[in-house]
Amino acid sequence: MAEITSEIKNECIFQHRISSADLESDLNEVYRYAGIFGKDNFSPDEQLSKLAEDAVKEIREAMNPRSVYIRFPLNITESDQITYDGKSLYDISFGNVNFSSHFLGLNLQDCNSIYLFAATLGPAVDKAIQKASRINAAKAVMLQASGAMFIEKYCDCLMDFLSEAESKEGNILCPRFSPGYGDIPLEMQKTFFELLQCQKNLALTLNNSLIMSPEKSVTAFIGIKKSNEV
Protein backbone atom coordinates (compact mmCIF):
# COMPACT_ATOMS: atom_id res chain seq x y z
CA MET A 1 0.00 0.00 0.00
CA ALA A 2 1.46 3.33 -1.05
CA GLU A 3 1.44 6.28 1.32
CA ILE A 4 -1.79 8.26 1.20
CA THR A 5 -1.42 11.98 0.64
CA SER A 6 -4.27 14.46 0.55
CA GLU A 7 -4.99 18.15 0.55
CA ILE A 8 -8.30 19.97 0.96
CA LYS A 9 -9.33 21.56 -2.33
CA ASN A 10 -12.01 24.13 -3.11
CA GLU A 11 -14.31 21.56 -4.65
CA CYS A 12 -18.09 21.70 -4.26
CA ILE A 13 -19.38 19.62 -1.36
CA PHE A 14 -23.01 18.67 -1.92
CA GLN A 15 -25.55 17.77 0.73
CA HIS A 16 -28.35 15.22 0.59
CA ARG A 17 -31.05 14.38 3.11
CA ILE A 18 -34.31 12.48 3.20
CA SER A 19 -37.24 12.29 5.60
CA SER A 20 -37.04 9.24 7.84
CA ALA A 21 -40.64 8.45 6.86
CA ASP A 22 -39.54 8.00 3.24
CA LEU A 23 -36.99 5.25 3.95
CA GLU A 24 -38.33 1.73 3.53
CA SER A 25 -37.64 -0.81 6.28
CA ASP A 26 -36.84 -4.50 5.93
CA LEU A 27 -37.46 -6.76 8.92
CA ASN A 28 -35.57 -9.63 7.31
CA GLU A 29 -32.48 -7.41 7.22
CA VAL A 30 -33.04 -6.50 10.87
CA TYR A 31 -33.10 -10.19 11.80
CA ARG A 32 -29.98 -10.79 9.71
CA TYR A 33 -28.05 -7.98 11.39
CA ALA A 34 -29.24 -9.29 14.76
CA GLY A 35 -27.73 -12.67 13.87
CA ILE A 36 -31.01 -14.60 14.02
CA PHE A 37 -31.96 -14.81 10.35
CA GLY A 38 -30.78 -17.15 7.65
CA LYS A 39 -31.80 -20.51 9.06
CA ASP A 40 -34.08 -22.76 6.99
CA ASN A 41 -37.78 -22.05 7.42
CA PHE A 42 -37.08 -19.14 9.76
CA SER A 43 -40.28 -17.71 11.14
CA PRO A 44 -40.14 -15.24 14.05
CA ASP A 45 -42.66 -15.75 16.81
CA GLU A 46 -45.02 -12.99 17.90
CA GLN A 47 -42.74 -11.75 20.66
CA LEU A 48 -39.71 -11.50 18.38
CA SER A 49 -41.73 -9.83 15.63
CA LYS A 50 -43.00 -7.19 18.04
CA LEU A 51 -39.49 -6.58 19.39
CA ALA A 52 -38.19 -6.01 15.86
CA GLU A 53 -41.14 -3.87 14.77
CA ASP A 54 -40.89 -1.68 17.88
CA ALA A 55 -37.14 -1.27 17.32
CA VAL A 56 -37.66 -0.21 13.71
CA LYS A 57 -40.29 2.31 14.82
CA GLU A 58 -38.04 3.76 17.52
CA ILE A 59 -35.05 4.12 15.22
CA ARG A 60 -37.20 5.67 12.50
CA GLU A 61 -38.42 8.30 14.98
CA ALA A 62 -34.88 9.00 16.20
CA MET A 63 -32.95 9.11 12.95
CA ASN A 64 -32.15 12.08 10.73
CA PRO A 65 -30.65 10.59 7.54
CA ARG A 66 -28.30 12.98 5.78
CA SER A 67 -25.06 12.93 3.84
CA VAL A 68 -22.43 14.97 2.03
CA TYR A 69 -20.65 14.00 -1.15
CA ILE A 70 -18.02 15.30 -3.52
CA ARG A 71 -17.14 14.37 -7.11
CA PHE A 72 -13.66 14.28 -8.64
CA PRO A 73 -12.17 13.37 -12.00
CA LEU A 74 -10.37 10.06 -11.53
CA ASN A 75 -7.11 8.72 -12.90
CA ILE A 76 -6.50 5.00 -12.51
CA THR A 77 -3.65 3.02 -14.08
CA GLU A 78 -2.19 -0.42 -13.52
CA SER A 79 0.89 -0.12 -11.33
CA ASP A 80 4.28 -1.75 -11.79
CA GLN A 81 3.95 -2.96 -8.21
CA ILE A 82 2.30 -6.14 -7.02
CA THR A 83 1.07 -7.22 -3.60
CA TYR A 84 2.95 -9.69 -1.41
CA ASP A 85 0.73 -12.49 -2.74
CA GLY A 86 1.14 -11.55 -6.39
CA LYS A 87 -1.99 -9.45 -7.00
CA SER A 88 -1.74 -6.50 -9.37
CA LEU A 89 -1.95 -3.02 -7.90
CA TYR A 90 -3.62 0.03 -9.43
CA ASP A 91 -2.46 3.60 -8.93
CA ILE A 92 -5.49 5.72 -8.04
CA SER A 93 -5.54 9.51 -7.96
CA PHE A 94 -8.18 12.22 -7.64
CA GLY A 95 -7.77 15.78 -6.48
CA ASN A 96 -4.48 15.64 -4.58
CA VAL A 97 -5.09 12.15 -3.20
CA ASN A 98 -2.79 9.37 -4.44
CA PHE A 99 -2.62 5.74 -3.34
CA SER A 100 -2.47 2.18 -4.67
CA SER A 101 -4.97 -0.65 -4.23
CA HIS A 102 -5.82 -4.00 -5.77
CA PHE A 103 -9.44 -4.46 -4.73
CA LEU A 104 -10.60 -0.85 -5.11
CA GLY A 105 -8.69 -0.73 -8.38
CA LEU A 106 -10.69 -3.67 -9.69
CA ASN A 107 -13.89 -1.95 -8.54
CA LEU A 108 -12.96 1.27 -10.35
CA GLN A 109 -11.78 -0.20 -13.66
CA ASP A 110 -12.92 1.90 -16.65
CA CYS A 111 -14.10 4.70 -14.32
CA ASN A 112 -13.33 8.31 -15.22
CA SER A 113 -14.71 10.01 -12.09
CA ILE A 114 -15.38 9.17 -8.47
CA TYR A 115 -17.70 10.17 -5.65
CA LEU A 116 -16.70 10.19 -2.00
CA PHE A 117 -19.57 10.37 0.44
CA ALA A 118 -20.26 10.30 4.15
CA ALA A 119 -23.72 9.42 5.46
CA THR A 120 -25.18 9.27 8.97
CA LEU A 121 -28.42 8.62 10.83
CA GLY A 122 -27.52 11.21 13.45
CA PRO A 123 -26.70 11.14 17.19
CA ALA A 124 -30.20 10.36 18.52
CA VAL A 125 -29.90 6.80 17.18
CA ASP A 126 -26.75 6.21 19.22
CA LYS A 127 -28.44 7.63 22.31
CA ALA A 128 -31.44 5.29 21.93
CA ILE A 129 -29.16 2.25 21.59
CA GLN A 130 -27.00 3.28 24.54
CA LYS A 131 -30.04 3.82 26.75
CA ALA A 132 -31.49 0.40 25.88
CA SER A 133 -28.15 -1.34 26.45
CA ARG A 134 -28.31 -0.35 30.13
CA ILE A 135 -31.78 -1.78 30.76
CA ASN A 136 -32.77 -4.27 28.05
CA ALA A 137 -30.10 -6.21 26.15
CA ALA A 138 -32.53 -7.83 23.70
CA LYS A 139 -34.02 -4.46 22.77
CA ALA A 140 -30.54 -2.98 22.35
CA VAL A 141 -29.61 -5.75 19.88
CA MET A 142 -32.71 -5.04 17.82
CA LEU A 143 -32.08 -1.30 17.89
CA GLN A 144 -28.50 -1.89 16.71
CA ALA A 145 -29.78 -4.14 13.92
CA SER A 146 -32.46 -1.63 12.92
CA GLY A 147 -29.87 1.15 12.78
CA ALA A 148 -27.60 -0.99 10.60
CA MET A 149 -30.52 -1.76 8.29
CA PHE A 150 -31.54 1.89 7.99
CA ILE A 151 -28.05 3.29 7.30
CA GLU A 152 -27.64 0.74 4.49
CA LYS A 153 -31.09 1.65 3.16
CA TYR A 154 -30.12 5.31 3.22
CA CYS A 155 -26.85 4.62 1.38
CA ASP A 156 -28.88 2.75 -1.25
CA CYS A 157 -31.20 5.75 -1.50
CA LEU A 158 -28.27 8.13 -1.97
CA MET A 159 -26.83 5.87 -4.67
CA ASP A 160 -30.19 5.80 -6.46
CA PHE A 161 -30.23 9.61 -6.37
CA LEU A 162 -26.68 9.86 -7.75
CA SER A 163 -27.33 7.14 -10.32
CA GLU A 164 -30.33 9.01 -11.69
CA ALA A 165 -28.29 12.19 -12.00
CA GLU A 166 -25.38 10.40 -13.70
CA SER A 167 -27.65 8.53 -16.12
CA LYS A 168 -28.55 11.88 -17.71
CA GLU A 169 -24.88 12.15 -18.70
CA GLY A 170 -24.75 8.58 -20.00
CA ASN A 171 -22.94 7.32 -16.89
CA ILE A 172 -23.45 4.43 -14.48
CA LEU A 173 -22.20 3.86 -10.95
CA CYS A 174 -20.07 1.04 -9.59
CA PRO A 175 -20.89 -0.63 -6.25
CA ARG A 176 -19.84 1.49 -3.27
CA PHE A 177 -16.58 0.56 -1.53
CA SER A 178 -15.81 1.62 2.04
CA PRO A 179 -12.54 2.09 3.96
CA GLY A 180 -11.79 -1.03 5.98
CA TYR A 181 -12.76 -3.39 3.15
CA GLY A 182 -10.28 -5.24 0.97
CA ASP A 183 -6.91 -3.49 1.11
CA ILE A 184 -8.22 0.01 1.85
CA PRO A 185 -7.21 0.80 5.45
CA LEU A 186 -9.42 2.59 7.95
CA GLU A 187 -6.73 5.28 7.87
CA MET A 188 -8.45 6.42 4.66
CA GLN A 189 -11.26 7.77 6.88
CA LYS A 190 -9.05 10.79 7.54
CA THR A 191 -9.10 11.64 3.83
CA PHE A 192 -12.90 11.49 3.74
CA PHE A 193 -13.14 13.71 6.81
CA GLU A 194 -10.74 16.27 5.33
CA LEU A 195 -12.30 16.43 1.88
CA LEU A 196 -15.93 16.32 3.04
CA GLN A 197 -15.41 18.44 6.18
CA CYS A 198 -17.53 15.89 8.01
CA GLN A 199 -17.36 17.51 11.43
CA LYS A 200 -18.55 20.86 10.06
CA ASN A 201 -21.16 19.51 7.65
CA LEU A 202 -22.52 16.46 9.51
CA ALA A 203 -21.32 16.88 13.12
CA LEU A 204 -19.51 13.60 12.44
CA THR A 205 -16.32 12.91 14.38
CA LEU A 206 -13.50 10.38 14.13
CA ASN A 207 -11.79 9.00 17.22
CA ASN A 208 -8.19 7.82 17.59
CA SER A 209 -9.26 4.29 16.64
CA LEU A 210 -10.76 5.66 13.41
CA ILE A 211 -14.29 4.84 14.55
CA MET A 212 -16.96 7.36 13.56
CA SER A 213 -19.44 8.97 15.92
CA PRO A 214 -22.40 8.74 15.49
CA GLU A 215 -21.70 5.04 14.93
CA LYS A 216 -24.50 4.50 12.43
CA SER A 217 -22.51 6.28 9.74
CA VAL A 218 -20.83 5.18 6.51
CA THR A 219 -18.13 6.53 4.21
CA ALA A 220 -17.55 5.11 0.75
CA PHE A 221 -16.15 5.55 -2.73
CA ILE A 222 -18.42 5.25 -5.78
CA GLY A 223 -16.86 4.91 -9.22
CA ILE A 224 -18.47 6.53 -12.28
CA LYS A 225 -18.08 5.24 -15.82
CA LYS A 226 -19.75 5.50 -19.21
CA SER A 227 -22.74 3.21 -19.55
CA ASN A 228 -21.23 1.41 -22.55
CA GLU A 229 -18.20 0.39 -20.47
CA VAL A 230 -19.73 -2.61 -18.65
Side-chain angles (χ1 to χ4, degrees):
M1 173 67 63
E3 181 180 359
I4 299 167
T5 59
S6 65
E7 177 180 306
I8 298 175
K9 291 175 63 64
N10 293 322
E11 301 287 345
C12 291
I13 300 173
F14 299 94
Q15 299 190 12
H16 178 272
R17 63 177 61 226
I18 188 173
S19 167
S20 61
D22 292 333
L23 269 186
E24 294 183 0
S25 60
D26 186 336
L27 283 178
N28 284 340
E29 283 295 281
V30 174
Y31 296 133
R32 184 175 71 84
Y33 281 115
I36 54 176
F37 180 68
K39 298 179 182 178
D40 292 340
N41 301 317
F42 172 79
S43 180
D45 58 26
E46 184 178 346
Q47 183 178 6
L48 183 58
S49 293
K50 187 176 188 313
L51 186 63
E53 289 167 4
D54 288 349
V56 166
K57 182 176 184 292
E58 184 168 345
I59 294 299
R60 187 185 294 280
E61 291 173 351
M63 68 184 182
N64 179 21
R66 61 196 193 280
S67 59
V68 290
Y69 60 93
I70 191 168
R71 190 184 194 275
F72 289 102
L74 172 70
N75 185 46
I76 177 168
T77 57
E78 191 162 355
S79 172
D80 294 333
Q81 306 174 72
I82 58 173
T83 64
Y84 71 91
D85 54 354
K87 291 184 174 68
S88 58
L89 281 170
Y90 297 85
D91 293 330
I92 299 166
S93 63
F94 53 86
N96 285 310
V97 180
N98 303 279
F99 60 98
S100 298
S101 166
H102 171 73
F103 293 105
L104 180 59
L106 291 178
N107 177 278
L108 295 176
Q109 279 189 322
D110 300 320
C111 291
N112 52 54
S113 301
I114 193 169
Y115 283 113
L116 280 71
F117 79 81
T120 185
L121 296 185
V125 170
D126 281 12
K127 291 178 181 177
I129 295 170
Q130 291 163 6
K131 180 179 177 180
S133 68
R134 295 191 291 268
I135 57 178
N136 188 328
K139 178 180 178 180
V141 168
M142 281 301 180
L143 290 173
Q144 282 275 12
S146 297
M149 178 272 295
F150 272 125
I151 188 61
E152 288 301 315
K153 288 287 185 183
Y154 176 55
C155 289
D156 290 343
C157 176
L158 175 62
M159 285 199 66
D160 287 345
F161 170 79
L162 296 175
S163 180
E164 182 177 355
E166 291 295 337
S167 68
K168 296 174 183 176
E169 305 298 324
N171 297 328
I172 59 173
L173 301 183
C174 295
R176 61 183 180 267
F177 196 109
S178 290
Y181 288 93
D183 55 356
I184 299 299
L186 278 176
E187 188 78 15
M188 183 65 76
Q189 298 281 45
K190 293 180 180 179
T191 297
F192 280 81
F193 271 67
E194 290 173 358
L195 294 176
L196 292 168
Q197 300 176 42
C198 292
Q199 186 162 0
K200 173 185 175 182
N201 292 321
L202 292 176
L204 194 58
T205 60
L206 192 66
N207 69 18
N208 291 335
S209 298
L210 304 172
I211 302 300
M212 291 182 285
S213 179
E215 289 188 12
K216 291 298 176 278
S217 304
V218 169
T219 58
F221 301 98
I222 310 172
I224 308 163
K225 61 185 177 182
K226 288 299 180 183
S227 60
N228 62 344
E229 295 176 5
V230 295

